[in-house]
Amino acid sequence: MFQIFQSHGSLRALGRTLSSGLALAFALLSLVTGCSRNPTREPPRQKAGPHPVIIFDIDTLRADRLGCYGNPRPTSPVIDALAREGVLFEWAFSQAPTTPPSQASILTSLYPSAHGVKGKKDRLSQEITTLAEVFSDHGFATGAFVDGGYMNRGFGLLQGFQTKVDRRGGLEEIGPKALNWVRDHADEDFLLLIHTYDVHTPYDPPEPWRSQFLEGLAPPSPGFEPTALAMETIRQSASSDQPLTLPDNDVAYALALYDAGIRYVDDWIGSFVAELEALGIYDRATLVVISDHGEEFQEHGSVLHEKLYSTVTRVPLIIRSPLALGGSQVPDVVETIDLMPTLLELVGAAAPEQVQGRSVAALLRGEELGPKSAISESRFFGRQRAVTGASQRMIFSQESGRIELYEYKQDLGEQDDLATRDPNAVSDFEGQLSDWFEWMRATELAASEYGELDPEVEEQLRALGYLD
Ligand SMILES: [Zn+2]
């Protein structure tokens, strides 16, 4: 496997060689080895040897576009297999619908209101302790291989990583470097963060992935391509007098390319897992699949990501680990700020006092935890907040006072607003939100301020569609 990877030197070549065969082999292997919960087997425990912890942070990956979360298209055979070997959190919610605040929450276990990273002008305060800093202090080698843009080191989110690679180029650029780093650290405890925008706009994965889900679709409208600029123009028009909307077929076309991008990333993860196996470290590794937010495809009148509907805030969270009971699906609501304390518990490191998430390591072991609601925040659309409970979720727009209430597990598209029909539920959620605001007011808020942007980073952000 390693020879193939090296001799071709590019993900596209690797993909052509391995794409379906590798994913299929890995999926079949998993089917044989670890599909279902076996209550009689030994409790999970760490294998002898160093503990590799690897986070696949796939920017803009909407949970329900993965096969294991219900997409009928074969977008994710490898991630599906990881889910079967590990624990799939069915209802994981991100703290924000956009990259800077959400990624900062994943890496600090703080709500956006507490870490203060909202957008382009913000740099994470150095006073805040990051996941990587705790791992580093705990004796782990730490490496971040990220896809630039808002993950560029200038924004401070990579604080604590000893190795930082943050140039744009997607997995084709990042992947081989991350793999080389793993090879250098294979005999150590390590934390590796791999982040990519390959699923983000522009929806333009390379062939042979690009066209694989286009069959049966009519061609898009003349001149339409779902570039970052085209989609951002549509998004920005939503609040204007003349909102733009895409015809249904163009939405389907964009979604097919988005799904193809997921399959591209999934195949890459398959090749990476094969390398971990070849290095002999897969069995003792903890692997995480997570995203910072999903993506809208006009379900609520717009595109991209900024609102707090489940299309944007429900994200995949899969943890495959020797410390987790394989083959489990957890129905509890969890938050992406829960990842940091969970991983710290898994490696036996104490969580810093600042942490606002809670460890869900007990759920990984098949034990119970009491219910907890998730809170998401958006600075867009009149400063929205969402509270997600066990069966319903409320979205509150602070400026307009509008309240929406959905039975989000039944009404997956969140089309049937129950707010006026269920005032008791609204009242309960308002109480929870009020308590949360009180908590945030009592929290010492961080001064996260960026100042001037590096011109190169500014250009990367423009290429991703972030215009101002
Ligand atoms: Zn993002």
Side-chain angles (χ1 to χ4, degrees):
M1 207 64 71
F2 171 64
Q3 287 302 322
I4 295 168
F5 197 89
Q6 279 227 313
S7 60
H8 288 271
S10 92
L11 177 59
R12 293 176 200 202
L14 175 74
R16 276 193 294 275
T17 313
L18 296 178
S19 149
S20 35
L22 177 69
L24 183 64
F26 182 58
L28 288 175
L29 177 70
S30 302
L31 274 172
V32 171
T33 56
C35 270
S36 59
R37 184 186 288 234
N38 178 354
T40 61
R41 78 179 191 199
E42 294 284 304
R45 65 163 62 96
Q46 183 58 23
K47 303 243 188 312
H51 190 170
V53 178
I54 300 166
I55 302 173
F56 298 107
D57 180 349
I58 305 162
D59 209 286
T60 323
L61 177 56
R62 173 172 154 172
D64 67 0
R65 302 316 298 172
L66 294 173
C68 52
Y69 284 89
N71 190 351
R73 277 188 181 139
T75 52
S76 56
V78 173
I79 294 173
D80 299 350
L82 287 176
R84 284 193 296 271
E85 283 191 13
V87 176
L88 179 147
F89 291 88
E90 294 176 276
W91 305 101
F93 287 86
S94 69
Q95 267 47 76
T98 50
T99 307
S102 186
Q103 294 285 6
S105 287
I106 292 170
L107 295 169
T108 64
S109 190
L110 290 168
Y111 288 103
S113 282
H115 62 57
V117 175
K118 296 180 292 296
K120 214 173 200 178
K121 297 293 180 192
D122 300 322
R123 184 192 197 288
L124 184 72
S125 165
Q126 293 181 18
E127 304 293 311
I128 292 173
T129 304
T130 63
L131 172 70
E133 285 176 306
V134 185
F135 265 80
S136 211
D137 290 348
H138 198 61
F140 278 61
T142 53
F145 296 77
V146 301
D147 207 355
Y150 284 122
M151 296 299 279
N152 182 283
R153 72 189 71 190
F155 291 103
L157 303 187
L158 303 187
Q159 182 180 305
F161 283 102
Q162 297 147 7
T163 301
K164 302 179 182 72
V165 172
D166 59 356
R167 296 189 64 85
R168 288 276 294 137
L171 289 172
E172 184 167 12
E173 167 78 18
I174 299 161
K177 293 185 171 74
L179 182 58
N180 279 335
W181 187 88
V182 168
R183 206 170 290 124
D184 289 344
H185 296 276
D187 297 329
E188 302 169 47
D189 293 325
F190 70 75
L191 170 70
L192 170 64
L193 172 68
I194 299 175
H195 162 271
T196 177
Y197 288 115
D198 279 316
V199 172
H200 192 284
T201 49
Y203 310 133
D204 190 25
E207 293 294 0
W209 291 271
R210 191 178 192 282
S211 53
Q212 67 183 306
F213 299 131
L214 293 177
E215 200 177 317
L217 289 180
S221 301
F224 172 71
E225 277 299 324
T227 62
L229 179 61
M231 300 305 275
E232 177 64 10
T233 303
I234 294 166
R235 185 193 73 78
Q236 290 197 0
S237 80
S239 49
S240 73
D241 293 338
Q242 292 181 308
L244 301 169
T245 51
L246 286 171
D248 287 350
N249 187 64
D250 288 353
V251 174
Y253 175 75
L255 188 58
L257 293 181
Y258 174 82
D259 279 351
I262 296 171
R263 180 58 188 256
Y264 172 76
V265 170
D266 188 80
D267 282 345
W268 182 84
I269 293 176
S271 69
F272 191 83
V273 165
E275 297 292 345
L276 297 179
E277 288 178 320
L279 287 166
I281 62 176
Y282 178 73
D283 285 348
R284 49 189 160 84
T286 292
L287 276 65
V288 177
V289 176
I290 194 169
S291 182
D292 57 340
H293 52 78
E295 192 83 319
E296 278 272 318
F297 288 91
Q298 278 190 185
E299 290 86 348
H300 300 94
S302 190
V303 294
L304 304 179
H305 43 273
E306 61 187 358
K307 298 180 181 180
L308 294 182
Y309 296 109
S310 295
T311 44
V312 175
T313 49
R314 184 184 175 207
V315 293
L317 178 60
I318 294 160
I319 301 179
R320 177 266 175 215
S321 171
L323 293 165
L325 198 61
S328 308
Q329 299 205 334
V330 172
D332 306 48
V333 169
V334 298
E335 303 178 275
T336 52
I337 53 171
D338 296 339
L339 181 66
M340 175 172 168
T342 302
L343 292 179
L344 294 179
E345 183 177 339
L346 290 188
V347 302
E353 260 184 45
Q354 78 182 28
V355 159
Q356 293 179 327
R358 70 170 178 179
S359 171
V360 295
L363 297 175
L364 295 178
R365 296 189 292 267
E367 300 163 8
E368 301 284 322
L369 272 183
K372 185 185 79 162
S373 294
I375 305 283
S376 308
E377 310 180 54
S378 175
R379 67 195 175 96
F380 301 100
F381 283 95
R383 298 184 65 79
Q384 290 188 323
R385 302 285 187 281
V387 190
T388 304
S391 63
Q392 296 178 314
R393 59 196 308 266
M394 181 184 82
I395 300 172
F396 170 57
S397 299
Q398 205 167 335
E399 283 171 13
S400 69
R402 184 182 174 195
I403 288 173
E404 298 162 76
L405 181 75
Y406 299 102
E407 292 274 358
Y408 66 95
K409 291 181 178 174
Q410 270 77 48
D411 178 15
L412 290 169
E414 294 176 330
Q415 301 294 325
D416 186 18
D417 180 1
L418 303 169
T420 55
R421 282 173 273 164
D422 195 348
N424 290 338
V426 169
S427 173
D428 179 57
F429 279 124
E430 285 176 332
Q432 292 187 45
L433 197 52
S434 171
D435 291 346
W436 179 83
F437 275 121
E438 203 56 49
W439 181 19
M440 290 303 111
R441 271 193 286 273
T443 302
E444 191 178 340
L445 304 184
S448 293
E449 186 71 34
Y450 192 94
E452 290 304 308
L453 276 181
D454 182 314
E456 187 183 331
V457 175
E458 180 117 45
E459 187 49 44
Q460 290 178 9
L461 294 176
R462 290 188 74 81
L464 287 162
Y466 300 111
L467 304 180
D468 49 35

